[in-house]
Amino acid sequence: MAELPHLIADLALILVVAGFVILLFKKLRQPLVLGYILAGFLVSPHMPYTMSVVDKADIQTWADIGVLFLLFALGLDFSVKKILKMGLAPVIASLTIIFCMMLLGINVGHAFGWDKMDCIFLGGMLAMSSTTIIYKAFDDLGFRQQKFAGLVMSVLILEDVLAIVLMVMLSTLASGSNPDGEELFGSLFRIGYFLVLWFVVGLFVIPSFLRKTRKLMNGETLVIVALGLCCLMAVISTQVGFSSAFGAFVMGSILAETVEADKIIRVVEPIKNLFGAIFFVSVGMLVDPVVMMNYAVPIVVLVLAILIGQGVFGTFGFLLSGQSLKTAMRCGFSMAQIGEFAFIIASLGLSLGVISKFLYPVVVAVSVITTFLTPYMMRAAEPCYALIERRLPKRWLRRLDHLSAGSHATNETGTWKRLLRKQLVSTVIYGTLSAALTAMMLTFFLPFVRQLLPHWWANGVCGVLTVALISPFLRALVMRHFHSDEFKLLWTENRINRLPLLFTSLVKVIIASSFIFYICNYLTRFTDALMITIAVSVIIFMILSRSLKHRSIRLERLFIQNLQSRDIEARVQGRKRPLFEGHLLDRDIHIGDIVVPEDSIWAGLSLRQLQFRNRFGVHVSSILRGRQRLNIPNGDMIIFPGDKIQVIGNDEQLHNFSAAMKGEVVPEDVEIEKREMKLRQLVIGKNSCLAGKTLKESGIRDRYNCMVVGAEQGQQALTVVNPTHVFEVGDVVWVVGEESSLQKLMELG
């Protein structure tokens, strides 16, 4: 018999121990992450009284895969549209908290004399609060529905996104011997550039691909395709100098905007849970009790730094974002712990070989302690506020409340601000696509075509094809928002606005022309004046070309459709309101969703028979039936129990319709016991009125509400009686019906 590989034995040990430990933690209502860490400690070599893992290298490889899938799942829960709708308040709070907590962590590390990279990575770990632990604490304490909990969750979403960027920045710091400000700025630019490029290209390609193959996608094929795309983006991310986790997050965020996102989340969840468990177990395997005893003082200091730091800096960050002092304190105190991302950042530092081995168990110990203290910190927020309210001068409290009220007023964006923001976004997107296509053509296509054609001919072909490929994007860059409502409003309402508007259009023309100028400068030896003339002429041709206009509009519509496909699917399935409802609200009309009760007397009737418009004044716009959405149903449409009817009307009409729907139901049967069906034997006698009649003529079903099951003809099995069968004297017939109906029928026998 072949020997069992160490990997299988190690996995069996890990999963069995982890299973028992998390069941215990589930019973004790504690975070499962801590259970996995404890299980890792129990199977580690640092625990001499239990079995331990043999091959830690293989487990670490699986743990790296776990990080990949954890961040892929995080990307699936991430939505660019949600982040944009949050406004500036969560951005201000999250950036303030991360910056202040990183400085605090770095200074604490320096105070203990730790290495530079240990201090920097420690700052990154202390800056990241745990989304899962806070969410569970809110749920346990009954805070999840309160307003401040929503603010905290918004900041946590942004922190998770910024943690991905922070990991890339830490990798850059670790790779350079002494990186300066210019290098860090260049790294930030590269991160932003590739994020925009991958996200935009991904939204052009991946939703279209999934739409074409939707009929072929079941659970098995979908999970393979999704994980394949995740690993592909991880490889691409590694090739261009970023971490594989960064690529997994980007692919998850792209798939989050597709119709299949919810299905992908469901099919990927078990795989993420498996590999995520292995990752957190591997974290526990690095916990060394000896190290924790030797670093007991730093652990206590770091715990106090997190509790006090988040309490102070968290409150300060939420105050800057425009919250009142009481709300800010409740938000800040809720974030006083570190969790999953601290372990991921620590794993990154270990894999890069830039942090000391003692830092990992120290951070794990700090995380465990702060996790247990999280509910107490949440409860302590209001008593601390009451204490500050008594001690703080009244005029200071009034100023803080005035600051929060004033910051809310600054959130109102004017027409200029909306226009400039839209123009900036479109310029960045189309500029990034144009730059990426230009770089690919000059880097890969130009050397290839030079092997086939003479030098100048190759340059000419490459230049013409490059300009042709980027021309739809350059035209959209110049003309986008030129006919927007904001542009027209500013142009017509004040003549002073016209010069700045023309200036913004000129800037976009210059940016588009610079691409043409760069291509000409790279491929030719023309003079600057000639190249500028060529660039401007090409841009004018693009603006006047109707074919380019149609191409750019098609591309833009495809992008917008892919970006909004998940929202469209949610509106079709009835999980979101239709877009046109906003226009109806302006006219005191809105849409109501009414579910047909199972016992409704309307079930089985057509819309023409029910006459909803005449009786209640409402219009049926759609009927949601299972996965079907039946829009604008006609009068022949039958209503079924469980249908969700979307009707349009005013408040009074919808109220009357809903009341009638709930009221017009089949009344409860008070004699339900008499509805039981029974089987009886009927013998046709000489005086029976059924003798000599066919089954159809007898009226057994229509008149007496009974049913003939069969007849005995000298054999054990019953013979089926057809409608033309003539009953004769002596026939034995078996009938089914209610007791009262059977009694009436028996009297005829």
Side-chain angles (χ1 to χ4, degrees), residues 123-139:
M125 297 176 211
L126 265 59
M128 297 299 144
S129 299
S130 172
T131 304
T132 56
I133 292 171
I134 292 175
Y135 185 85
K136 184 183 184 302
F138 280 159
D139 202 29

Side-chain angles (χ1 to χ4, degrees), residues 97 101 126-127 129 305-315 332 335-336:
I97 294 171
M101 290 302 297
L126 265 59
S129 299
I306 291 172
L307 299 180
I308 298 173
Q310 285 285 9
V312 175
F313 298 131
T315 300
M335 301 179 68

Side-chain angles (χ1 to χ4, degrees), residues 77 100 176 227 255 327 355 407 413 425 448 468 533 575 586 731:
D77 289 330
C100 293
L227 295 182
L255 291 173
T327 302
I355 65 172
S407 64
T413 57
V425 170
F448 170 74
T533 303
R575 298 193 303 273
D586 297 336
D731 283 352

